[in-house]
Amino acid sequence: MSAAPTRAEICVVAIAECFRGDGEILANPIGTIPMIGGRLARASFEPDLLMTDGEALLIANDGAFAWPEGRVVESYNPYRAMFDVVWSGRRHVIMGASQIDRFGNQNFAAIGSDYARPKAQLLGFRGAPGNTVNDATSYWVPRHSPRVFVDRVDVVTGVGWDRAMKAGPAATRFFDLRRVVTDLAVLDWETPDRSMRLRSVHPGVTVEQVREATGFELVVPEGVPESRSPTPEELRLIRDVIDPEGRREEEVPG
Amino acid sequence: MTVDKRVTEEEVAAELADGMTVGVGGWGSRRKPMSIVRAIARSSLKDLTIVSYGGPDVGLLCAAGKVRRVVYAFVSLDTIPLDPHFRAARQTGAVEDEPWDEGLFLLGLQAAAWRVPFLPTRVGLGSDLPRLNPRLSTVASPFDGEELIAAPALELDAAICHLDRADQRGNACFLGADLYFDDLFLRAAGRRFISTEKVVPTDQLVAEAGTELRLRINRSMVDAVVERRGGAHFTECPPDYRRDESFQAAYASAASSPEAWADFRAEWVDVDEADYQRRVAAR
């Protein structure tokens, strides 16, 4: 019945896999495909996850963006309570990154060498410093390029492995930096010196393509596996239940 | 006779002084006290330090040349992720930048509200915040020696917030999804000003709010009340109104050139607030 999975749907599954084993915590994926991936994890292999409506409610619905049947509200979670969640550690956040380096230091505050007068002012620090030293953290990069995967970030908003270890035990105690999912691949830091490793490449992508799109030397093990494809049931959930409007295809065109 | 704290936006602006630190309630482009912000933009005030979960309050005041320093974790218009007026001010070096994490910011306000010099946290460790925000410091736990970040009290000379309903003495409630941190802004400030969609008799506040759980601002936290229907426009103020997206888009595109800003300013800032509201209704 179903057409072959698109690249966007491979990304959705890769995001869902980030939450495997997380249990009864807040899955807090930020971005279109992350929202779909988090919903997919909960609707399939990680049913105890909690998720927000994007604002102040925790809702049980499988739909990622629209709830024509009405929202099923599990709890009230205004920003004040969100920081209680963040600092108690019962959360896995997936953030974006304008720049990220080999140890996972992330920047989305400003681009340029002079912070007092940046070439481009971006979001600011948002919650990145607090998220990364308190919660499991992963990243979503919809366009894998050397402009994002850089040798050195201009500003460290989210903390990477090297900086956390240098900052000492108070910084590493709850530090748990996990994965990066991009439109080309999945990366992690499961290496002796915590430098970024190519974990899997999406179907149709070569290792060489990922290397060329990365501005630093990646750790590439022998025989990098392919990112897994959605099962027929996962495809049905994505297409019919979670994202029937196909917003995933706008973020990562086929 | 019951005290009546009602004033106008111009009277609020007249209570402020050059160089003051002013906290602004709301979050992003949500329930911002925009009519008071516009009055400040029209005034002769200058060199303000603005402390905000930033939205168009920050961008508008930067564009109007009122700001020396911005204390913030983000400046966003929600549906437009970045405020172009704030970006321009940063990229030309027109304003000083004091970066915070958005949770650290809550601790700074809470410390000021509780009258302690700092609150300890892990937030900031390992990041560039301590390098770029010299007000942050570290503190060793007296119990186990753990070295934490000390979030300094964000003491405010004044705070401005927009609440959905209030009485004339300053008891107020929020009707939307989130109070945000308005109570902390008011408790952290020396002078406390709110605007409200509607002033109602005290004995109708619970009925207006639907539940006493929404009566989160009491009159000891408020010095003056501005009654202004549409006072949060063009930011959202549900359930009374949604964000005015087409107006917000016009505000954002006014950052494209000095001429575009001059036109916007003449039409939408340098006008009496009642006139502004009439023009918005006629759009």
Side-chain angles (χ1 to χ4, degrees):
Chain A
M1 124 275 168
S2 56
T6 63
R7 179 66 57 78
E9 288 160 349
I10 298 291
C11 294
V12 167
V13 170
I15 291 281
E17 284 291 336
C18 293
F19 294 110
R20 191 180 283 278
D22 277 349
E24 200 157 40
I25 63 161
L26 180 70
N28 198 186
I30 301 164
T32 301
I33 282 180
M35 296 273 277
I36 301 164
R39 245 71 187 192
L40 177 63
R42 181 165 69 174
S44 53
F45 55 80
E46 210 51 53
D48 290 340
L49 294 173
L50 294 97
M51 296 192 74
T52 76
D53 68 342
E55 289 196 28
L57 300 175
L58 300 181
I59 62 169
N61 306 63
D62 286 333
F65 309 108
W67 310 283
E69 75 282 20
R71 289 176 302 191
V72 178
V73 178
E74 292 196 86
S75 192
Y76 180 49
N77 190 57
Y79 283 113
R80 190 86 48 109
M82 185 59 119
F83 291 117
D84 293 333
V85 174
V86 173
W87 298 335
S88 69
R90 300 201 66 81
R91 172 178 182 249
H92 183 169
V93 66
I94 298 187
M95 292 190 285
S98 306
Q99 296 180 323
I100 191 165
D101 72 15
R102 76 189 64 209
F103 294 110
N105 296 293
Q106 166 243 31
N107 171 27
F108 54 21
I111 301 292
S113 51
D114 181 7
Y115 182 76
R117 195 174 170 167
K119 247 186 350 198
Q121 169 69 30
L122 304 174
L123 286 176
F125 277 72
R126 288 239 57 156
N131 293 344
T132 44
V133 297
N134 283 293
D135 292 346
T137 301
S138 297
Y139 290 103
W140 162 240
V141 176
R143 266 173 299 283
H144 194 137
S145 91
R147 289 167 59 99
V148 178
F149 288 81
V150 294
D151 192 48
R152 242 183 110 85
V153 298
D154 293 330
V155 180
V156 177
T157 49
V159 183
W161 283 99
D162 59 333
R163 297 266 303 216
M165 291 189 281
K166 223 171 107 189
T172 53
R173 186 160 171 194
F174 303 115
F175 186 81
D176 188 6
L177 190 54
R178 301 239 181 118
R179 290 184 195 173
V180 188
V181 176
T182 78
D183 58 335
L184 300 182
V186 181
L187 308 110
D188 64 26
W189 290 273
E190 294 176 22
T191 55
D193 73 341
R194 297 295 192 179
S195 64
M196 197 185 286
R197 175 185 83 145
L198 182 56
R199 182 184 182 92
S200 67
V201 289
H202 298 341
V205 177
T206 66
V207 169
E208 209 37 51
Q209 266 177 283
V210 179
R211 275 206 176 107
E212 278 170 18
T214 305
F216 53 82
E217 184 109 4
L218 276 174
V219 176
V220 180
E222 285 290 308
V224 176
E226 211 169 69
S227 310
R228 88 167 170 87
S229 289
T231 65
E233 171 60 6
E234 285 173 335
L235 266 187
R236 185 192 69 79
L237 284 168
I238 296 168
R239 293 174 180 177
D240 299 345
V241 179
I242 299 171
D243 180 32
E245 290 175 335
R247 285 173 64 168
R248 62 195 177 278
E249 304 297 331
E250 292 160 28
E251 196 169 44
V252 173
Chain B
M1 190 180 122
T2 312
V3 173
D4 188 347
K5 295 182 183 171
R6 282 180 287 186
V7 298
T8 65
E9 288 92 350
E10 304 327 294
E11 288 172 308
V12 172
E15 293 243 8
L16 306 179
D18 293 351
M20 269 191 176
T21 296
V22 180
V24 187
W27 175 286
S29 191
R30 308 179 200 178
R31 203 163 44 72
K32 285 285 178 179
M34 294 304 289
S35 73
I36 298 176
V37 167
R38 285 185 283 271
I40 294 171
R42 279 193 298 277
S43 74
S44 63
L45 287 164
K46 58 182 193 308
D47 295 332
L48 299 177
T49 290
I50 300 297
V51 178
S52 179
Y53 285 104
D57 51 327
V58 174
L60 190 78
L61 291 173
C62 284
K66 299 297 165 193
V67 183
R68 172 185 288 173
R69 167 176 285 243
V70 183
V71 178
Y72 75 107
F74 60 84
V75 178
S76 174
L77 305 177
D78 291 292
T79 42
I80 301 172
L82 306 173
D83 183 305
H85 298 280
F86 173 64
R87 296 190 82 192
R90 280 280 286 138
Q91 290 163 196
T92 56
V95 293
E96 296 170 13
D97 182 285
E98 186 179 310
W100 285 66
D101 166 285
E102 59 198 41
L104 194 68
F105 200 89
L106 145 66
L107 295 180
L109 292 172
Q110 184 70 79
W114 284 343
R115 305 184 298 173
V116 293
F118 70 90
L119 286 169
T121 177
R122 292 178 204 285
V123 178
L125 292 169
S127 78
D128 269 343
L129 272 183
R131 176 173 73 84
L132 296 173
N133 181 346
R135 272 216 273 175
L136 301 183
S137 190
T138 57
V139 61
S141 162
F143 303 107
D144 60 10
E146 223 180 18
E147 185 100 341
L148 299 168
I149 295 285
L154 271 172
E155 285 166 6
L156 308 174
D157 295 313
I160 55 175
C161 296
H162 186 76
L163 278 304
D164 298 87
R165 302 287 183 270
D167 70 11
Q168 64 184 23
R169 305 183 78 182
N171 296 301
C173 66
F174 75 109
L175 299 181
D178 200 325
L179 177 64
Y180 309 116
F181 300 92
D182 287 10
D183 55 335
L184 286 186
F185 277 99
L186 295 170
R187 289 191 200 277
R191 297 283 291 158
R192 298 83 43 90
F193 305 99
I194 65 168
S195 53
T196 185
E197 289 297 310
K198 192 177 171 192
V199 170
V200 301
T202 304
D203 63 8
Q204 286 178 32
L205 270 174
V206 173
E208 287 281 336
T211 161
E212 60 273 24
L213 298 178
R214 287 179 172 278
L215 302 186
R216 293 284 297 277
I217 307 299
N218 74 60
R219 56 192 167 80
S220 77
M221 301 156 71
V222 175
D223 296 306
V225 179
V226 174
E227 182 173 20
R228 180 66 65 189
R229 196 173 287 267
H233 181 268
F234 49 93
T235 69
E236 67 164 39
C237 188
D240 287 324
Y241 44 94
R242 303 163 79 110
R243 186 177 303 116
D244 187 340
E245 296 288 356
S246 73
F247 191 102
Q248 176 163 285
Y251 158 79
S253 63
S256 59
S257 69
E259 297 73 35
W261 167 247
D263 288 348
F264 182 89
R265 178 171 186 150
E267 196 173 356
W268 298 110
V269 181
D270 290 336
V271 295
D272 172 76
E273 182 65 25
D275 202 24
Y276 174 97
Q277 296 293 345
R278 273 192 296 274
R279 289 184 195 204
V280 167
R283 267 179 102 236

